[in-house]
Amino acid sequence: MTIYQNLIAGEWIGTNATKNINPSDTNEVVGLYADGSAEDTKNAIAAAKAAFPAWSRSGIWERHVILKKAGDEIMARKDELGALLAREEGKTLPEAIGETIRASQIFEFFAGEALRLAGEVIPSVRPNVGVEITRDPLGVIGIITPWNFPIAIPAWKIAPALCYGNTIVFKPAELVPACSWAIVDILHRAGLPKGVLNLVMGKGSVVGQAMLDSPDIAGITFTGSTGTGKRVAVSSLEHNRKFQLEMGGKNPMVVLDDADLNVAVEAAANSGFFSTGQRCTASSRLIVTEGIHDRFVAALTEKLKTIVVDHAMKPGTHVGPVVDERQLKTDTDYIEIGKKEGAKLAFGGELITRDTPGFYLQPTLFTEATNQMRISREEIFGPVVSVIRVKDYEEALATANDTPFGLSSGIATTSLKHATHFKRNAEAGMVMVNLPTAGVDFHVPFGGRKGSSYGPREQGKYAAEFYTTVKTAYTLA
Ligand code: ADP
């Protein structure tokens, strides 16, 4: 089998490899992908550092052309790349193709942004002095990504880093190297100079740690667990390095008595269970007022009966498998915890067998949960959702905000008054009205507050805040 190698200083290298396994069918090896060392990582950082002076001064048209070519190729190959994604991560083929299209759109967006780089010229308070405010690239950016969006998250970090003139050392998650390899290959062939984008696949404890320990990385953008995020933060402070963290969520969706029942059920089923509940914006707490509670639970349970869990590539599958054995154990452990804590298992909770050996779990719904239970406070990252019954809107809002996290927060209501109040008072980076908490646009800011995120927002023009540093220049005329 071919080994998909690491790209360091413009050369494909690496002879050690690990298997990329399909979670829908653990007999299927998606490919062999290089397992980089600390030495490889150091070489990649040195290559990115050496490439920075020229790339940081590259013309905006060159950046535009490369980013646009990458966006165009990803779109042209959306079915093939979507299938690769579905095979390595386990989300369904339509979801995977949708994510691939989004990656393409992100490259197209930043291809446009490259042509819109601008500064400000303002008068000084001193006569005959001019002030210019510009944005410089940061330097070498370390990109560390998780497994749940194997193509979109790399895209939304790589595209702005290149657009604003930075060079990159990119380490994807161990479980999903294939899509990362594909987009690095596309960018390499699109004409990026040697060393501008380096790919080091491998273990977090080896490759990731070597990135954290390097004084030559000017900024690290990280999406992953809270524990690793803290390590990124501590190491970055030691090196006086900029960092940006996207971590967990425990996203609430409030359902009020006046909600349109269909809208509420569709939004809850989508954000709780699609993509196997493995989205950081997934709703895992459904906070439902008394008047609609029983009708909502009954309708949602009926809906869950229709959700087909099966092989990600099979037509008709709504929800694919859990990503791996470790995550499946986390999910089933939390299901046991929920039962012991006294929540009522209203639907699911069991492993399922399908034609192929994979990590299949029923969509699982707990009712009669309280917001103090561990299943309501800790991120599970699986298709496990709890319903919390509340008296009224005021209690619903307070419960929604009573969490260590603050990524996305949703409400289903037909009341303008409550929707407006919720938008203003939800303690979250993103608020959704009559929409799933998951599912965001590619051209506007993404991110959260409290324990979910740290640093400037990602995506859209707000991405410049992380990937650049501001310079104020004074000139005597
Ligand atoms: P998860 O538990 O969801 O896999 P992690 O935070 O462990 O989340 O993984 C997110 C990313 O962080 C992955 O690319 C992983 O390899 C990387 N990572 C894990 N440990 C470290 C570490 N010590 N230093 C840097 N990166 C790491």
Side-chain angles (χ1 to χ4, degrees):
M1 234 181 181
T2 323
I3 294 180
Y4 291 90
Q5 294 173 300
N6 284 323
L7 183 68
I8 298 173
E11 307 294 329
W12 294 106
I13 60 152
T15 46
N16 288 340
T18 48
K19 287 181 187 163
N20 182 357
I21 301 290
N22 181 347
S24 296
D25 178 359
T26 53
N27 290 328
E28 190 196 337
V29 178
V30 178
L32 289 180
Y33 287 83
D35 190 8
S37 63
E39 198 57 35
D40 292 334
T41 316
K42 281 189 187 144
N43 292 338
I45 296 167
K49 194 177 173 188
F52 178 70
W55 181 251
S56 65
R57 287 191 291 271
S58 61
I60 56 171
W61 183 248
E62 182 184 358
R63 295 183 209 172
H64 167 81
V65 167
I66 292 171
L67 292 167
K68 172 105 177 62
K69 265 194 195 169
D72 290 351
E73 184 173 336
I74 294 169
M75 191 65 92
R77 293 172 55 195
K78 66 180 172 31
D79 295 338
E80 170 215 338
L81 293 172
L84 187 66
L85 199 168
R87 283 167 61 221
E88 72 170 342
E89 199 266 351
K91 66 182 62 169
T92 65
L93 185 60
E95 287 174 330
I97 293 174
E99 185 185 330
T100 306
I101 292 171
R102 179 160 171 210
S104 162
Q105 290 164 326
I106 290 165
F107 278 103
E108 302 286 349
F109 177 86
F110 283 104
E113 283 300 281
L115 300 180
R116 278 189 287 269
L117 294 179
E120 283 184 276
V121 177
I122 50 178
S124 165
V125 290
R126 288 168 275 173
N128 303 322
V129 172
V131 182
E132 291 157 39
I133 302 169
T134 51
R135 286 187 176 272
D136 281 355
L138 267 190
V140 178
I141 300 286
I143 296 179
I144 302 179
T145 55
W147 49 259
N148 63 333
F149 283 93
I151 197 162
I153 295 181
W156 83 51
K157 293 181 190 296
I158 291 172
L162 294 176
C163 166
Y164 298 114
N166 301 282
T167 58
I168 298 172
V169 177
F170 167 36
K171 186 225 139 355
E174 293 90 316
L175 287 176
V176 292
C179 289
S180 293
W181 189 92
I183 55 176
V184 170
D185 171 55
I186 288 169
L187 282 159
H188 179 59
R189 285 187 289 98
L192 269 187
K194 284 180 182 203
V196 171
L197 171 61
N198 302 273
L199 170 71
V200 195
M201 298 171 286
K203 292 184 188 61
S205 55
V206 177
V207 175
Q209 194 60 45
M211 290 166 72
L212 267 46
D213 294 341
S214 173
D216 291 326
I217 294 189
I220 292 192
T221 174
F222 168 84
T223 303
S225 65
T226 305
T228 311
K230 290 222 164 99
R231 297 172 89 108
V232 173
V234 170
S235 69
S236 295
L237 291 173
E238 273 169 15
H239 293 295
N240 200 25
R241 171 207 292 148
K242 210 166 166 182
F243 60 99
Q244 174 183 57
L245 311 175
E246 285 301 338
M247 302 171 291
K250 196 73 200 172
N251 308 296
M253 196 181 120
V254 168
V255 179
L256 296 186
D257 285 356
D258 62 26
D260 176 317
L261 190 63
N262 286 334
V263 166
V265 168
E266 288 303 315
N270 175 320
S271 46
F273 301 100
F274 288 3
S275 297
T276 326
Q278 295 172 158
R279 293 179 287 188
C280 36
T281 46
S283 304
S284 48
R285 295 183 296 142
L286 304 175
I287 299 165
V288 186
T289 48
E290 275 168 355
I292 197 171
H293 179 277
D294 293 353
R295 275 185 297 138
F296 173 78
V297 168
L300 181 58
T301 311
E302 281 309 305
K303 172 83 188 170
L304 295 187
K305 287 181 191 160
T306 69
I307 289 184
V308 177
V309 181
D310 208 331
H311 196 299
M313 296 292 286
K314 209 167 175 177
T317 297
H318 300 124
V319 170
V322 172
V323 75
D324 72 348
E325 198 164 6
R326 193 182 65 144
Q327 182 61 50
L328 184 66
K329 179 162 179 353
T330 304
D331 297 348
T332 50
D333 283 354
Y334 272 110
I335 292 170
E336 288 312 308
I337 290 168
K339 288 185 203 161
K340 285 204 188 97
E341 285 179 312
K344 180 177 157 216
L345 185 62
F347 189 84
E350 300 291 331
L351 299 182
I352 355 182
T353 347
R354 289 289 177 255
D355 294 345
T356 47
F359 308 110
Y360 298 107
L361 175 64
Q362 286 181 318
T364 300
L365 186 71
F366 281 109
T367 53
E368 311 305 333
T370 70
N371 201 42
Q372 300 316 315
M373 292 178 178
R374 283 183 64 196
I375 54 165
S376 304
R377 302 209 78 76
E378 298 169 17
E379 185 177 53
I380 301 174
F381 222 60
V384 184
V385 173
S386 30
V387 177
I388 300 166
R389 188 197 299 258
V390 290
K391 197 165 71 268
D392 52 17
Y393 169 74
E394 283 68 31
E395 189 185 348
L397 175 66
T399 307
N401 286 340
D402 176 13
T403 168
F405 297 106
L407 188 56
S408 184
S409 196
I411 188 165
T413 179
T414 51
S415 149
L416 180 63
K417 179 179 150 207
H418 286 141
T420 306
H421 190 269
F422 190 80
K423 279 189 277 184
R424 210 170 279 155
N425 292 285
E427 292 169 6
M430 294 171 294
V431 183
M432 307 289 182
V433 180
N434 293 322
L435 287 167
T437 54
V440 296
D441 286 5
F442 64 86
H443 66 309
V444 289
F446 175 93
R449 37 174 100 168
K450 302 204 285 192
S452 289
S453 308
Y454 185 91
R457 290 289 184 266
E458 303 199 75
Q459 302 191 61
K461 62 185 165 66
Y462 286 68
E465 204 53 54
F466 177 73
Y467 293 95
T468 63
T469 178
V470 170
K471 180 179 277 169
T472 314
Y474 296 82
T475 311
L476 177 63

